[in-house]
Every structure is written in structure tokens, then in C-alpha cells.
Amino acid sequence: MNKAITSLIMTSLLCLGACSPGHNNYSQYHTVDSEGWAYDDTFEFIPAIADSTATGKLAVTLRHTNSYPYSNIWLEILYPTPADTLDPEKADTLNITLSDKYGHWHGRGMGLTFQLADTVYRDFTVYNGAPIRLRHIMRVDTVTGIEQIGISFTPMTK
């Protein structure tokens, strides 16, 4: 009887271990000030992954209210480059579409809050502890209606 119980416990632990998320998965979110997201407010994300580097998909997630006044948001993303390049950081511009031309939000949500995740890179390298920064580059100083911004990284499977 003890062998059967021990065997059952060991099998359960092995199954749970196989279901655990990858050690290089990473996600983090920041809450935007209720007064709005000022142009010079940059959100910094510092990946903590098991390996020194990992390559995979990077997504940006926005949570916004129904009162967000635009159909899209322009973001600047700054991220580290390999150590053998001359420029230690690269900047890209992202245009994330939040609604269609009729004003219907693409994100999912209930009530007045919607969330949209957009994969912005499919072959992105994350460096453990190296910051990834996001800021809005809209033509207004302060953007209202954004509640949270985040990134998530999913490594490629081997």
C-alpha cells in the first residue's frame, strides 16, 4: 500500500513539473497614473529569466478605458542590443491599433475597460536584467484613458 501511495505522489509531482511554465517566460505590467500618461513618463521593464539570453515573441499589452480618445497609440520601445554592436540600445516605433474605423475596440473586456495584447516582435532577444523601456509618442503631452501597460515574453520552443 505504501508503494502505491508513494508511486501516486511521485507521478503527480512529475505531472505538475511538466505543466509548470517555462523558466524564460517573463511578463510585467505598470499602472498608469489616473491623471494620464505624460509624454516624458517612460516605463521600464527588467526581465528576470533563467538564462542570460532567450529568443522568442515579445508582446505589448494595453489596458484602456472606453474613454480613450484615439483609435491607436504610438509607442517608442528602447531595448538592448548584443554586446558586439556599436550602439548598446535600439529604438523602434510601434503603432498599436486599438479600434476599427467605426470605433469598435479590438481588445477584450467587460464594462468600461478593454485589454489588447499585440505581438510586436516574433524573433526578439531578451537579456536577463537588461531593461526594456516604453513611452508614448503621441502628438499630445498627456494621454488619458490608458490604465496599464505591460510586456510579455514567450521563448521559442526547441
Side-chain angles (χ1 to χ4, degrees):
M1 187 65 157
N2 278 343
K3 281 186 176 184
I5 293 173
T6 303
S7 178
L8 179 64
I9 290 172
M10 292 304 289
T11 303
S12 298
L13 289 174
L14 286 172
C15 288
L16 287 174
C19 295
S20 67
H23 299 292
N24 286 327
N25 289 353
Y26 169 77
S27 66
Q28 183 181 1
Y29 296 86
H30 289 289
T31 301
V32 177
D33 189 284
S34 61
E35 299 296 317
W37 185 2
Y39 187 81
D40 59 351
D41 286 346
T42 300
F43 292 104
E44 185 172 82
F45 305 89
I46 301 178
I49 58 174
D51 296 326
S52 59
T53 66
T55 301
K57 293 190 297 187
L58 184 76
V60 172
T61 302
L62 288 160
R63 185 170 294 146
H64 64 90
T65 65
N66 197 36
S67 66
Y68 182 72
Y70 309 105
S71 64
N72 68 333
I73 187 165
W74 286 92
L75 301 173
E76 179 183 63
I77 184 169
L78 297 125
Y79 55 91
T81 58
D84 60 350
T85 61
L86 295 176
D87 191 8
E89 190 171 61
K90 183 172 181 172
D92 280 337
T93 303
L94 308 172
N95 179 17
I96 298 178
T97 304
L98 300 174
S99 73
D100 64 19
K101 65 182 180 179
Y102 303 108
H104 299 113
W105 299 115
H106 293 306
R108 298 191 183 271
M110 295 180 68
L112 301 176
T113 300
F114 299 88
Q115 180 171 312
L116 177 93
D118 188 8
T119 299
V120 293
Y121 298 105
R122 297 200 181 279
D123 190 18
F124 187 83
T125 301
V126 168
Y127 299 88
N128 185 34
I132 299 168
R133 291 189 276 283
L134 283 173
R135 70 182 183 106
H136 85 78
I137 51 172
M138 299 291 282
R139 292 184 178 175
V140 294
D141 182 57
T142 302
V143 173
T144 58
I146 300 291
E147 294 179 333
Q148 286 188 324
I149 186 157
I151 65 169
S152 60
F153 175 78
T154 308
M156 290 182 187
T157 56
K158 295 180 181 182

